Amino acid sequence: MADIPRNFVLLNELELGEKGGDGRCSYGLEDPDNDMLMHHWIGSIFGPQHTPFDGQLYELKIHCGDQYPKQQPRVWFVSQVNMPGVNQHTGEVNFAEIDGLERWKPTHSIAFVLKCLYNKMLRRESRLPQPVESKFPTPTV
């Protein structure tokens, strides 16, 4: 299978993100006018109903490096969240602890990452008390 150029992959993801998805997760470029290389993305996850995340909108920052999609993006929660697989000091997501993300494949996408995080919120081990609405420190990439 031939490699698809990074920009084509990201343009496709941008188009899909603009269509809105399934209503549980959304994403797009953080600054579309000034990020021609499409490195910096923002995402959001609506907390699943009947979980400690219910009624909350969780904001995320996503960095797609020059080797994306061959290499996984870096992902941080901006909104404070108490969940296994998320660093409690920085908000960075540890892909090794998130089902579906532990073995990154170039066919995975930003939407896939957000859906895996949403699914992690549904799991019993994630039903932890949540912090009062606050934010992690802004990540620097």
Side-chain angles (χ1 to χ4, degrees):
M1 181 159 122
D3 285 343
I4 299 171
R6 175 187 180 278
N7 283 358
F8 289 179
V9 170
L10 288 171
L11 284 170
N12 185 54
E13 290 197 47
L14 180 59
E15 182 179 340
L16 293 172
E18 288 174 346
K19 291 181 181 175
D22 62 9
R24 296 179 289 184
C25 305
S26 64
Y27 62 94
L29 281 172
E30 185 172 30
D31 186 1
D33 295 331
N34 295 311
D35 187 8
M36 295 303 155
L37 296 176
M38 296 180 277
H39 284 123
H40 303 282
W41 297 69
I42 53 174
S44 60
I45 299 173
F46 295 98
Q49 290 184 330
H50 312 295
T51 71
F53 309 98
D54 192 355
Q56 298 297 317
L57 175 65
Y58 293 92
E59 297 174 63
L60 299 97
K61 285 198 174 274
I62 303 152
H63 178 77
C64 295
D66 291 334
Q67 297 304 311
Y68 180 87
K70 291 178 184 176
Q71 290 180 353
Q72 69 192 33
R74 291 183 69 191
V75 178
W76 297 264
F77 275 86
V78 174
S79 307
Q80 196 121 32
V81 64
N82 185 16
M83 186 170 87
V86 178
N87 182 298
Q88 292 304 296
H89 301 289
T90 65
E92 188 163 8
V93 174
N94 179 352
F95 280 35
E97 295 183 39
I98 308 296
D99 292 339
L101 299 179
E102 65 274 10
R103 288 191 186 102
W104 181 258
K105 298 177 186 174
T107 55
H108 290 165
S109 64
I110 295 170
F112 181 76
V113 170
L114 296 175
K115 287 178 186 173
C116 288
L117 291 170
Y118 180 90
N119 289 338
K120 181 74 168 183
M121 291 175 165
L122 293 169
R123 301 202 39 127
R124 183 169 301 286
E125 72 266 12
S126 297
R127 294 184 179 233
L128 303 168
Q130 293 304 305
V132 176
E133 214 173 303
S134 62
K135 304 215 182 266
F136 284 109
T138 303
T140 55
V141 181

